[in-house]
Amino acid sequence: MTNLPKDFLWGGAVAAHQVEGAWNVAGKGESIADVLTGGAHGVDRIITTAIEEKYMYPNHEAVDFYHNYKADIALFAELGFKCFRTSIAWSRIFPLGDEAEPNEVGLQFYDDLFDELLKYNIEPVITLSHFEMPNHLVKTYGGWKNRRVIDFFVHYADVVLQRYQHKVKYWMTFNEINNQKSYDVPLFGYTNSGVVFNNEPNPEETMYQVVHHQLVASAKVVALGHAIKADLKIGCMMAIVPLYPYSCHPDDIMLAVEAMHDRYLFSDVHVRGYYPSYAYKEWEQKGFNIDITADDLAVLKAGTVDYIGLSYYMSKTVRAHFEDEETTADFEGTVPNPHVQASDWGWQIDPVGLRYSLNVLYERYQIPLFIVENGFGAVDEIEPDGSVNDQYRIDYLKAHIAEMIKAVTLDGVDLMGYTPWGCIDCVSFGTGEYKKRYGFIYVDKHDDGSGTMKRSKKKSFDWFKEVVASNGAHL
Ligand code: P53
């Protein structure tokens, strides 16, 4: 007995731009994901702004879920999925983003996709914006720097919430809205908001302004969704990478508290409906002047989320006195944690960090949590008989699920479900690689463009099927 709730939402997660392909089919407009080249670990993806012939754009084809979704969903049903998380590609619905009328063919595609899921009793869990806004909004309006983009987003959300209200109960507004807090990483600002902050006179101040526009847009959509149908569950989505103190040195403890403001700022506003005092103090000290109207504050209050969707892949560690250490990216003072191992892409593997994160979030907010991403990106080798023996993925997921179950059964966390990332192999967001695989389902497609797109089951497929069937009792 695991004591997970009977209706626990086991499933899998992807995003439209990472699986669908068909980037210019049936009226779809160019999205920001369509102008990102392929990269690798240590090789940044290039943001080319427009499509240039000399580059490969992995998201154009992705794994062609657009044409294969029926067969893929049949495999999800075989896995026993109770839910499936994906996103709506905004530019299928509004190719440019600023039109008054939606693209009916795009809307029909998601009707068909959701019907196919519901045929197997798989609940769609839908992200409204997962790194794929129409590129026209970036080129013409400057992305989320521009307040008008709030209205374009709310209009898009209104159309899809109205259209799918009887098919989709679980929604999230902005995927990993907090990535852009690392404002000096061009990919994060660009994919969250269509803004490369380092090109701005004051990158950090611009980041806060952009974030404010998104928080207002999110709150408007939450209120709108509830007005359309009161029992829709609309959440936020946070990348939860906890920042531990390196030691019990009081300076390390305090630094970790400060560092965690980078995470909490976003969920504080989403959940409580107002900015935390540390945000105002930081803006005051830095002399930032963020345009926040009285109306905005009322909107934030009126649109608090029903749950927190979160991704969890790794933890990080911060050290106040780090001169002798190699500090890594993200928060200044981030140092390797000597107690955990890292993946081939340098992501520190820390299952206990998941239980820790669920605890701190639930203690802070007391609303339901939903793990909508967790997983192990690895290079998979095909055996001569065609099988993939991904025991390392099973080990990673098993250890994380065990900690998740402790958070529910020992700590009393209210957890809605668990959807491992990239349940079918897809294009990596961070590097644009096919090689960094997460799936239970292998897709024969490679970084040089070769491959048949044929699907096959990895060893982890049968393992996860049994986890779902036993509601987590058999790991
Ligand atoms: P890839 C950083 C930290 C945690 C999650 O990532 C992150 C990132 C950004 O790299 O992104 C999420 O494909 C994101 C997904 C993404 C997934 O993690 O870089 O929501 O779109 O694919 C895995 O290995």
Side-chain angles (χ1 to χ4, degrees), residues 15 17-18 85 130-131 175-176 179 187-188 237 239-241 311-314 347 373 377 421 426-432 436 438:
H17 74 281
Q18 288 171 268
R85 174 185 179 227
H130 193 134
F131 309 159
N175 186 64
E176 295 191 336
N179 281 355
L187 185 70
F188 287 167
M237 199 305 199
I240 295 298
V241 182
S311 66
Y312 177 84
Y313 293 89
M314 65 189 128
W347 291 19
E373 288 186 31
W421 175 254
C426 60
V427 175
S428 157
F429 157 63
T431 64
K436 190 180 188 190
Y438 287 86

PDB file of all heavy atoms in Angstrom, residues 15 17-18 85 130-131 175-176 179 187-188 237 239-241 311-314 347 373 377 421 426-432 436 438, ligand 1:
ATOM      1  N   ALA A  15       5.850  19.143 -24.468  1.00  0.00           N
ATOM      2  CA  ALA A  15       5.364  20.459 -24.892  1.00  0.00           C
ATOM      3  C   ALA A  15       5.194  20.421 -26.406  1.00  0.00           C
ATOM      4  O   ALA A  15       5.953  19.728 -27.103  1.00  0.00           O
ATOM      5  CB  ALA A  15       6.351  21.549 -24.507  1.00  0.00           C
ATOM      6  N   HIS A  17       5.969  22.334 -28.947  1.00  0.00           N
ATOM      7  CA  HIS A  17       7.085  22.604 -29.863  1.00  0.00           C
ATOM      8  C   HIS A  17       8.161  21.524 -29.820  1.00  0.00           C
ATOM      9  O   HIS A  17       8.949  21.398 -30.748  1.00  0.00           O
ATOM     10  CB  HIS A  17       7.704  23.976 -29.578  1.00  0.00           C
ATOM     11  CG  HIS A  17       8.543  24.038 -28.344  1.00  0.00           C
ATOM     12  ND1 HIS A  17       8.014  24.143 -27.083  1.00  0.00           N
ATOM     13  CD2 HIS A  17       9.883  23.989 -28.173  1.00  0.00           C
ATOM     14  CE1 HIS A  17       9.002  24.170 -26.206  1.00  0.00           C
ATOM     15  NE2 HIS A  17      10.141  24.074 -26.832  1.00  0.00           N
ATOM     16  N   GLN A  18       8.191  20.726 -28.747  1.00  0.00           N
ATOM     17  CA  GLN A  18       9.229  19.707 -28.620  1.00  0.00           C
ATOM     18  C   GLN A  18       8.824  18.366 -29.227  1.00  0.00           C
ATOM     19  O   GLN A  18       9.669  17.496 -29.411  1.00  0.00           O
ATOM     20  CB  GLN A  18       9.642  19.560 -27.150  1.00  0.00           C
ATOM     21  CG  GLN A  18      10.450  20.761 -26.673  1.00  0.00           C
ATOM     22  CD  GLN A  18      10.709  20.765 -25.180  1.00  0.00           C
ATOM     23  OE1 GLN A  18       9.933  21.342 -24.422  1.00  0.00           O
ATOM     24  NE2 GLN A  18      11.782  20.128 -24.754  1.00  0.00           N
ATOM     25  N   ARG A  85       0.194  15.534 -20.172  1.00  0.00           N
ATOM     26  CA  ARG A  85       0.438  16.973 -20.210  1.00  0.00           C
ATOM     27  C   ARG A  85       1.117  17.365 -21.515  1.00  0.00           C
ATOM     28  O   ARG A  85       2.160  16.819 -21.867  1.00  0.00           O
ATOM     29  CB  ARG A  85       1.348  17.385 -19.043  1.00  0.00           C
ATOM     30  CG  ARG A  85       1.745  18.852 -19.127  1.00  0.00           C
ATOM     31  CD  ARG A  85       2.732  19.276 -18.057  1.00  0.00           C
ATOM     32  NE  ARG A  85       3.049  20.675 -18.249  1.00  0.00           N
ATOM     33  CZ  ARG A  85       4.269  21.203 -18.247  1.00  0.00           C
ATOM     34  NH1 ARG A  85       5.331  20.442 -18.014  1.00  0.00           N
ATOM     35  NH2 ARG A  85       4.442  22.474 -18.463  1.00  0.00           N
ATOM     36  N   HIS A 130       4.196  27.431 -23.445  1.00  0.00           N
ATOM     37  CA  HIS A 130       5.388  26.645 -23.117  1.00  0.00           C
ATOM     38  C   HIS A 130       6.489  26.970 -24.138  1.00  0.00           C
ATOM     39  O   HIS A 130       6.743  26.193 -25.051  1.00  0.00           O
ATOM     40  CB  HIS A 130       5.057  25.154 -23.115  1.00  0.00           C
ATOM     41  CG  HIS A 130       6.120  24.283 -22.496  1.00  0.00           C
ATOM     42  ND1 HIS A 130       5.842  23.280 -21.593  1.00  0.00           N
ATOM     43  CD2 HIS A 130       7.469  24.267 -22.636  1.00  0.00           C
ATOM     44  CE1 HIS A 130       6.979  22.683 -21.225  1.00  0.00           C
ATOM     45  NE2 HIS A 130       7.976  23.260 -21.854  1.00  0.00           N
ATOM     46  N   PHE A 131       7.076  28.139 -24.034  1.00  0.00           N
ATOM     47  CA  PHE A 131       8.238  28.539 -24.850  1.00  0.00           C
ATOM     48  C   PHE A 131       7.920  28.566 -26.353  1.00  0.00           C
ATOM     49  O   PHE A 131       8.753  28.189 -27.174  1.00  0.00           O
ATOM     50  CB  PHE A 131       9.423  27.569 -24.649  1.00  0.00           C
ATOM     51  CG  PHE A 131       9.807  27.289 -23.229  1.00  0.00           C
ATOM     52  CD1 PHE A 131      10.525  26.135 -22.904  1.00  0.00           C
ATOM     53  CD2 PHE A 131       9.519  28.170 -22.212  1.00  0.00           C
ATOM     54  CE1 PHE A 131      10.920  25.866 -21.601  1.00  0.00           C
ATOM     55  CE2 PHE A 131       9.905  27.902 -20.897  1.00  0.00           C
ATOM     56  CZ  PHE A 131      10.609  26.743 -20.592  1.00  0.00           C
ATOM     57  N   ASN A 175       4.775  28.124 -18.599  1.00  0.00           N
ATOM     58  CA  ASN A 175       5.740  27.103 -18.195  1.00  0.00           C
ATOM     59  C   ASN A 175       7.008  27.726 -17.620  1.00  0.00           C
ATOM     60  O   ASN A 175       7.609  28.615 -18.231  1.00  0.00           O
ATOM     61  CB  ASN A 175       6.130  26.247 -19.401  1.00  0.00           C
ATOM     62  CG  ASN A 175       7.020  25.084 -19.001  1.00  0.00           C
ATOM     63  OD1 ASN A 175       6.578  24.202 -18.263  1.00  0.00           O
ATOM     64  ND2 ASN A 175       8.263  25.090 -19.441  1.00  0.00           N
ATOM     65  N   GLU A 176       7.407  27.231 -16.459  1.00  0.00           N
ATOM     66  CA  GLU A 176       8.686  27.646 -15.843  1.00  0.00           C
ATOM     67  C   GLU A 176       8.915  29.144 -15.975  1.00  0.00           C
ATOM     68  O   GLU A 176       9.963  29.603 -16.432  1.00  0.00           O
ATOM     69  CB  GLU A 176       9.846  26.862 -16.462  1.00  0.00           C
ATOM     70  CG  GLU A 176       9.763  25.383 -16.148  1.00  0.00           C
ATOM     71  CD  GLU A 176      11.026  24.609 -16.502  1.00  0.00           C
ATOM     72  OE1 GLU A 176      11.773  25.060 -17.366  1.00  0.00           O
ATOM     73  OE2 GLU A 176      11.238  23.544 -15.887  1.00  0.00           O
ATOM     74  N   ASN A 179      12.303  30.701 -14.996  1.00  0.00           N
ATOM     75  CA  ASN A 179      13.615  30.523 -15.664  1.00  0.00           C
ATOM     76  C   ASN A 179      14.281  31.866 -15.942  1.00  0.00           C
ATOM     77  O   ASN A 179      15.497  32.020 -15.842  1.00  0.00           O
ATOM     78  CB  ASN A 179      13.446  29.818 -17.021  1.00  0.00           C
ATOM     79  CG  ASN A 179      13.264  28.322 -16.888  1.00  0.00           C
ATOM     80  OD1 ASN A 179      13.344  27.778 -15.796  1.00  0.00           O
ATOM     81  ND2 ASN A 179      13.004  27.659 -17.998  1.00  0.00           N
ATOM     82  N   LEU A 187      18.771  32.276 -23.755  1.00  0.00           N
ATOM     83  CA  LEU A 187      17.725  31.304 -24.094  1.00  0.00           C
ATOM     84  C   LEU A 187      16.528  31.404 -23.154  1.00  0.00           C
ATOM     85  O   LEU A 187      15.380  31.265 -23.576  1.00  0.00           O
ATOM     86  CB  LEU A 187      18.302  29.878 -24.059  1.00  0.00           C
ATOM     87  CG  LEU A 187      17.349  28.773 -24.507  1.00  0.00           C
ATOM     88  CD1 LEU A 187      17.069  28.844 -26.003  1.00  0.00           C
ATOM     89  CD2 LEU A 187      17.896  27.387 -24.157  1.00  0.00           C
ATOM     90  N   PHE A 188      16.783  31.640 -21.884  1.00  0.00           N
ATOM     91  CA  PHE A 188      15.678  31.673 -20.911  1.00  0.00           C
ATOM     92  C   PHE A 188      14.771  32.881 -21.142  1.00  0.00           C
ATOM     93  O   PHE A 188      13.550  32.747 -21.181  1.00  0.00           O
ATOM     94  CB  PHE A 188      16.210  31.671 -19.478  1.00  0.00           C
ATOM     95  CG  PHE A 188      16.778  30.348 -19.038  1.00  0.00           C
ATOM     96  CD1 PHE A 188      17.528  30.245 -17.876  1.00  0.00           C
ATOM     97  CD2 PHE A 188      16.557  29.193 -19.776  1.00  0.00           C
ATOM     98  CE1 PHE A 188      18.054  29.022 -17.458  1.00  0.00           C
ATOM     99  CE2 PHE A 188      17.075  27.961 -19.375  1.00  0.00           C
ATOM    100  CZ  PHE A 188      17.824  27.884 -18.202  1.00  0.00           C
ATOM    101  N   MET A 237       3.205  27.331 -13.171  1.00  0.00           N
ATOM    102  CA  MET A 237       4.202  26.284 -13.401  1.00  0.00           C
ATOM    103  C   MET A 237       5.577  26.852 -13.094  1.00  0.00           C
ATOM    104  O   MET A 237       6.000  27.829 -13.679  1.00  0.00           O
ATOM    105  CB  MET A 237       4.083  25.794 -14.845  1.00  0.00           C
ATOM    106  CG  MET A 237       4.717  24.436 -15.127  1.00  0.00           C
ATOM    107  SD  MET A 237       6.448  24.274 -14.666  1.00  0.00           S
ATOM    108  CE  MET A 237       6.962  22.901 -15.615  1.00  0.00           C
ATOM    109  N   ALA A 239       9.778  26.102 -12.283  1.00  0.00           N
ATOM    110  CA  ALA A 239      10.961  25.224 -12.292  1.00  0.00           C
ATOM    111  C   ALA A 239      11.527  25.245 -10.877  1.00  0.00           C
ATOM    112  O   ALA A 239      12.041  26.262 -10.416  1.00  0.00           O
ATOM    113  CB  ALA A 239      12.003  25.739 -13.273  1.00  0.00           C
ATOM    114  N   ILE A 240      11.369  24.130 -10.198  1.00  0.00           N
ATOM    115  CA  ILE A 240      11.849  24.083  -8.816  1.00  0.00           C
ATOM    116  C   ILE A 240      13.219  23.406  -8.784  1.00  0.00           C
ATOM    117  O   ILE A 240      13.349  22.192  -8.934  1.00  0.00           O
ATOM    118  CB  ILE A 240      10.838  23.357  -7.905  1.00  0.00           C
ATOM    119  CG1 ILE A 240       9.521  24.154  -7.829  1.00  0.00           C
ATOM    120  CG2 ILE A 240      11.416  23.173  -6.498  1.00  0.00           C
ATOM    121  CD1 ILE A 240       9.637  25.546  -7.229  1.00  0.00           C
ATOM    122  N   VAL A 241      14.216  24.249  -8.633  1.00  0.00           N
ATOM    123  CA  VAL A 241      15.591  23.785  -8.428  1.00  0.00           C
ATOM    124  C   VAL A 241      15.988  24.351  -7.065  1.00  0.00           C
ATOM    125  O   VAL A 241      16.364  25.508  -6.961  1.00  0.00           O
ATOM    126  CB  VAL A 241      16.535  24.329  -9.526  1.00  0.00           C
ATOM    127  CG1 VAL A 241      17.951  23.792  -9.329  1.00  0.00           C
ATOM    128  CG2 VAL A 241      16.015  23.988 -10.922  1.00  0.00           C
ATOM    129  N   SER A 311       8.279  21.569 -12.098  1.00  0.00           N
ATOM    130  CA  SER A 311       9.260  20.628 -12.625  1.00  0.00           C
ATOM    131  C   SER A 311      10.330  20.453 -11.567  1.00  0.00           C
ATOM    132  O   SER A 311      10.641  21.388 -10.818  1.00  0.00           O
ATOM    133  CB  SER A 311       9.886  21.147 -13.926  1.00  0.00           C
ATOM    134  OG  SER A 311      10.651  22.310 -13.694  1.00  0.00           O
ATOM    135  N   TYR A 312      10.844  19.247 -11.469  1.00  0.00           N
ATOM    136  CA  TYR A 312      11.978  18.994 -10.565  1.00  0.00           C
ATOM    137  C   TYR A 312      12.937  18.025 -11.247  1.00  0.00           C
ATOM    138  O   TYR A 312      12.540  16.909 -11.612  1.00  0.00           O
ATOM    139  CB  TYR A 312      11.514  18.402  -9.222  1.00  0.00           C
ATOM    140  CG  TYR A 312      12.722  18.093  -8.354  1.00  0.00           C
ATOM    141  CD1 TYR A 312      13.317  19.075  -7.566  1.00  0.00           C
ATOM    142  CD2 TYR A 312      13.327  16.838  -8.392  1.00  0.00           C
ATOM    143  CE1 TYR A 312      14.457  18.819  -6.837  1.00  0.00           C
ATOM    144  CE2 TYR A 312      14.483  16.575  -7.658  1.00  0.00           C
ATOM    145  CZ  TYR A 312      15.047  17.569  -6.890  1.00  0.00           C
ATOM    146  OH  TYR A 312      16.196  17.329  -6.181  1.00  0.00           O
ATOM    147  N   TYR A 313      14.142  18.464 -11.450  1.00  0.00           N
ATOM    148  CA  TYR A 313      15.176  17.610 -12.045  1.00  0.00           C
ATOM    149  C   TYR A 313      16.400  17.480 -11.153  1.00  0.00           C
ATOM    150  O   TYR A 313      17.110  16.490 -11.213  1.00  0.00           O
ATOM    151  CB  TYR A 313      15.644  18.191 -13.397  1.00  0.00           C
ATOM    152  CG  TYR A 313      14.590  18.158 -14.462  1.00  0.00           C
ATOM    153  CD1 TYR A 313      13.696  19.212 -14.613  1.00  0.00           C
ATOM    154  CD2 TYR A 313      14.469  17.067 -15.312  1.00  0.00           C
ATOM    155  CE1 TYR A 313      12.714  19.174 -15.594  1.00  0.00           C
ATOM    156  CE2 TYR A 313      13.494  17.021 -16.297  1.00  0.00           C
ATOM    157  CZ  TYR A 313      12.618  18.082 -16.432  1.00  0.00           C
ATOM    158  OH  TYR A 313      11.649  18.043 -17.391  1.00  0.00           O
ATOM    159  N   MET A 314      16.684  18.528 -10.379  1.00  0.00           N
ATOM    160  CA  MET A 314      17.991  18.604  -9.698  1.00  0.00           C
ATOM    161  C   MET A 314      17.926  19.613  -8.562  1.00  0.00           C
ATOM    162  O   MET A 314      17.010  20.432  -8.486  1.00  0.00           O
ATOM    163  CB  MET A 314      19.048  19.069 -10.699  1.00  0.00           C
ATOM    164  CG  MET A 314      18.784  20.500 -11.198  1.00  0.00           C
ATOM    165  SD  MET A 314      19.852  20.973 -12.558  1.00  0.00           S
ATOM    166  CE  MET A 314      18.640  21.547 -13.755  1.00  0.00           C
ATOM    167  N   TRP A 347      23.552  17.910 -14.595  1.00  0.00           N
ATOM    168  CA  TRP A 347      22.411  18.136 -13.695  1.00  0.00           C
ATOM    169  C   TRP A 347      22.581  17.225 -12.474  1.00  0.00           C
ATOM    170  O   TRP A 347      22.674  15.999 -12.620  1.00  0.00           O
ATOM    171  CB  TRP A 347      21.086  17.853 -14.420  1.00  0.00           C
ATOM    172  CG  TRP A 347      20.755  18.844 -15.503  1.00  0.00           C
ATOM    173  CD1 TRP A 347      21.630  19.692 -16.133  1.00  0.00           C
ATOM    174  CD2 TRP A 347      19.473  19.107 -16.083  1.00  0.00           C
ATOM    175  NE1 TRP A 347      20.965  20.454 -17.063  1.00  0.00           N
ATOM    176  CE2 TRP A 347      19.656  20.119 -17.064  1.00  0.00           C
ATOM    177  CE3 TRP A 347      18.182  18.594 -15.880  1.00  0.00           C
ATOM    178  CZ2 TRP A 347      18.583  20.624 -17.830  1.00  0.00           C
ATOM    179  CZ3 TRP A 347      17.131  19.095 -16.657  1.00  0.00           C
ATOM    180  CH2 TRP A 347      17.335  20.100 -17.607  1.00  0.00           C
ATOM    181  N   GLU A 373       6.783  17.664 -14.273  1.00  0.00           N
ATOM    182  CA  GLU A 373       8.015  17.270 -14.978  1.00  0.00           C
ATOM    183  C   GLU A 373       9.008  16.726 -13.968  1.00  0.00           C
ATOM    184  O   GLU A 373       9.206  17.304 -12.904  1.00  0.00           O
ATOM    185  CB  GLU A 373       8.695  18.464 -15.676  1.00  0.00           C
ATOM    186  CG  GLU A 373       8.003  18.988 -16.889  1.00  0.00           C
ATOM    187  CD  GLU A 373       8.801  20.082 -17.607  1.00  0.00           C
ATOM    188  OE1 GLU A 373      10.052  20.057 -17.575  1.00  0.00           O
ATOM    189  OE2 GLU A 373       8.152  20.968 -18.184  1.00  0.00           O
ATOM    190  N   GLY A 377      17.551  12.878 -18.507  1.00  0.00           N
ATOM    191  CA  GLY A 377      18.012  13.009 -19.881  1.00  0.00           C
ATOM    192  C   GLY A 377      19.318  12.237 -20.041  1.00  0.00           C
ATOM    193  O   GLY A 377      20.289  12.500 -19.346  1.00  0.00           O
ATOM    194  N   TRP A 421       8.798  13.840 -17.459  1.00  0.00           N
ATOM    195  CA  TRP A 421       9.054  14.623 -18.676  1.00  0.00           C
ATOM    196  C   TRP A 421       9.416  13.722 -19.863  1.00  0.00           C
ATOM    197  O   TRP A 421      10.096  12.710 -19.692  1.00  0.00           O
ATOM    198  CB  TRP A 421      10.199  15.633 -18.464  1.00  0.00           C
ATOM    199  CG  TRP A 421      10.502  16.318 -19.768  1.00  0.00           C
ATOM    200  CD1 TRP A 421      11.577  16.113 -20.588  1.00  0.00           C
ATOM    201  CD2 TRP A 421       9.659  17.262 -20.439  1.00  0.00           C
ATOM    202  NE1 TRP A 421      11.451  16.882 -21.716  1.00  0.00           N
ATOM    203  CE2 TRP A 421      10.281  17.591 -21.657  1.00  0.00           C
ATOM    204  CE3 TRP A 421       8.423  17.849 -20.132  1.00  0.00           C
ATOM    205  CZ2 TRP A 421       9.721  18.499 -22.572  1.00  0.00           C
ATOM    206  CZ3 TRP A 421       7.865  18.744 -21.044  1.00  0.00           C
ATOM    207  CH2 TRP A 421       8.526  19.060 -22.239  1.00  0.00           C
ATOM    208  N   CYS A 426      11.814  13.368 -27.263  1.00  0.00           N
ATOM    209  CA  CYS A 426      11.482  14.617 -27.955  1.00  0.00           C
ATOM    210  C   CYS A 426      12.727  15.495 -28.043  1.00  0.00           C
ATOM    211  O   CYS A 426      13.788  15.111 -27.559  1.00  0.00           O
ATOM    212  CB  CYS A 426      10.336  15.338 -27.243  1.00  0.00           C
ATOM    213  SG  CYS A 426      10.664  15.785 -25.541  1.00  0.00           S
ATOM    214  N   VAL A 427      12.590  16.653 -28.644  1.00  0.00           N
ATOM    215  CA  VAL A 427      13.729  17.562 -28.797  1.00  0.00           C
ATOM    216  C   VAL A 427      14.008  18.212 -27.439  1.00  0.00           C
ATOM    217  O   VAL A 427      13.091  18.750 -26.808  1.00  0.00           O
ATOM    218  CB  VAL A 427      13.408  18.647 -29.845  1.00  0.00           C
ATOM    219  CG1 VAL A 427      14.537  19.665 -29.928  1.00  0.00           C
ATOM    220  CG2 VAL A 427      13.147  18.018 -31.206  1.00  0.00           C
ATOM    221  N   SER A 428      15.253  18.179 -27.004  1.00  0.00           N
ATOM    222  CA  SER A 428      15.607  18.834 -25.740  1.00  0.00           C
ATOM    223  C   SER A 428      15.383  20.327 -25.855  1.00  0.00           C
ATOM    224  O   SER A 428      15.702  20.942 -26.881  1.00  0.00           O
ATOM    225  CB  SER A 428      17.075  18.549 -25.407  1.00  0.00           C
ATOM    226  OG  SER A 428      17.576  19.542 -24.529  1.00  0.00           O
ATOM    227  N   PHE A 429      14.827  20.900 -24.807  1.00  0.00           N
ATOM    228  CA  PHE A 429      14.635  22.350 -24.807  1.00  0.00           C
ATOM    229  C   PHE A 429      15.979  23.080 -24.697  1.00  0.00           C
ATOM    230  O   PHE A 429      16.297  23.961 -25.484  1.00  0.00           O
ATOM    231  CB  PHE A 429      13.720  22.766 -23.642  1.00  0.00           C
ATOM    232  CG  PHE A 429      13.922  24.196 -23.244  1.00  0.00           C
ATOM    233  CD1 PHE A 429      13.636  25.217 -24.143  1.00  0.00           C
ATOM    234  CD2 PHE A 429      14.454  24.533 -22.007  1.00  0.00           C
ATOM    235  CE1 PHE A 429      13.859  26.546 -23.804  1.00  0.00           C
ATOM    236  CE2 PHE A 429      14.684  25.853 -21.672  1.00  0.00           C
ATOM    237  CZ  PHE A 429      14.383  26.866 -22.573  1.00  0.00           C
ATOM    238  N   GLY A 430      16.784  22.664 -23.718  1.00  0.00           N
ATOM    239  CA  GLY A 430      18.005  23.410 -23.418  1.00  0.00           C
ATOM    240  C   GLY A 430      19.043  23.344 -24.523  1.00  0.00           C
ATOM    241  O   GLY A 430      19.706  24.339 -24.830  1.00  0.00           O
ATOM    242  N   THR A 431      19.180  22.166 -25.145  1.00  0.00           N
ATOM    243  CA  THR A 431      20.241  21.998 -26.144  1.00  0.00           C
ATOM    244  C   THR A 431      19.714  21.785 -27.563  1.00  0.00           C
ATOM    245  O   THR A 431      20.495  21.836 -28.513  1.00  0.00           O
ATOM    246  CB  THR A 431      21.144  20.789 -25.795  1.00  0.00           C
ATOM    247  OG1 THR A 431      20.352  19.597 -25.854  1.00  0.00           O
ATOM    248  CG2 THR A 431      21.764  20.941 -24.416  1.00  0.00           C
ATOM    249  N   GLY A 432      18.437  21.507 -27.722  1.00  0.00           N
ATOM    250  CA  GLY A 432      17.902  21.245 -29.062  1.00  0.00           C
ATOM    251  C   GLY A 432      18.322  19.889 -29.609  1.00  0.00           C
ATOM    252  O   GLY A 432      18.144  19.608 -30.790  1.00  0.00           O
ATOM    253  N   LYS A 436      19.624  13.815 -26.166  1.00  0.00           N
ATOM    254  CA  LYS A 436      19.290  13.871 -24.739  1.00  0.00           C
ATOM    255  C   LYS A 436      17.855  13.369 -24.584  1.00  0.00           C
ATOM    256  O   LYS A 436      16.892  14.104 -24.735  1.00  0.00           O
ATOM    257  CB  LYS A 436      19.416  15.313 -24.226  1.00  0.00           C
ATOM    258  CG  LYS A 436      19.330  15.430 -22.709  1.00  0.00           C
ATOM    259  CD  LYS A 436      19.450  16.873 -22.236  1.00  0.00           C
ATOM    260  CE  LYS A 436      19.550  16.938 -20.718  1.00  0.00           C
ATOM    261  NZ  LYS A 436      19.427  18.320 -20.214  1.00  0.00           N
ATOM    262  N   TYR A 438      14.550  11.275 -22.815  1.00  0.00           N
ATOM    263  CA  TYR A 438      13.864  11.090 -21.537  1.00  0.00           C
ATOM    264  C   TYR A 438      12.824   9.972 -21.577  1.00  0.00           C
ATOM    265  O   TYR A 438      12.282   9.601 -20.556  1.00  0.00           O
ATOM    266  CB  TYR A 438      13.119  12.376 -21.151  1.00  0.00           C
ATOM    267  CG  TYR A 438      13.990  13.523 -20.684  1.00  0.00           C
ATOM    268  CD1 TYR A 438      14.569  14.415 -21.589  1.00  0.00           C
ATOM    269  CD2 TYR A 438      14.231  13.725 -19.322  1.00  0.00           C
ATOM    270  CE1 TYR A 438      15.356  15.472 -21.146  1.00  0.00           C
ATOM    271  CE2 TYR A 438      15.014  14.785 -18.874  1.00  0.00           C
ATOM    272  CZ  TYR A 438      15.574  15.656 -19.797  1.00  0.00           C
ATOM    273  OH  TYR A 438      16.352  16.699 -19.352  1.00  0.00           O
TER     274      TYR A 438
HETATM  275  P1  P53 B   1      16.042  19.712 -21.408  1.00  0.00           P
HETATM  276  C1  P53 B   1      16.256  24.051 -16.434  1.00  0.00           C
HETATM  277  C2  P53 B   1      15.953  23.514 -15.204  1.00  0.00           C
HETATM  278  C3  P53 B   1      14.837  22.738 -15.055  1.00  0.00           C
HETATM  279  C4  P53 B   1      13.994  22.522 -16.136  1.00  0.00           C
HETATM  280  O1  P53 B   1      15.108  20.079 -20.169  1.00  0.00           O
HETATM  281  C5  P53 B   1      14.254  23.090 -17.357  1.00  0.00           C
HETATM  282  C6  P53 B   1      15.401  23.837 -17.505  1.00  0.00           C
HETATM  283  C7  P53 B   1      15.772  24.389 -18.811  1.00  0.00           C
HETATM  284  O2  P53 B   1      16.736  23.589 -19.449  1.00  0.00           O
HETATM  285  O3  P53 B   1      13.411  22.998 -18.450  1.00  0.00           O
HETATM  286  C8  P53 B   1      12.320  22.078 -18.482  1.00  0.00           C
HETATM  287  O4  P53 B   1      15.130  19.393 -22.530  1.00  0.00           O
HETATM  288  C9  P53 B   1      11.326  22.489 -19.568  1.00  0.00           C
HETATM  289  C10 P53 B   1      11.149  21.489 -20.676  1.00  0.00           C
HETATM  290  C11 P53 B   1      12.459  20.790 -20.910  1.00  0.00           C
HETATM  291  C12 P53 B   1      12.801  19.996 -19.668  1.00  0.00           C
HETATM  292  O5  P53 B   1      12.894  20.837 -18.540  1.00  0.00           O
HETATM  293  O6  P53 B   1      16.860  20.933 -21.614  1.00  0.00           O
HETATM  294  O7  P53 B   1      10.052  22.807 -19.044  1.00  0.00           O
HETATM  295  O8  P53 B   1      10.640  22.140 -21.813  1.00  0.00           O
HETATM  296  O9  P53 B   1      12.504  19.981 -22.043  1.00  0.00           O
HETATM  297  C13 P53 B   1      14.092  19.222 -19.792  1.00  0.00           C
HETATM  298  O10 P53 B   1      16.834  18.523 -20.983  1.00  0.00           O
END
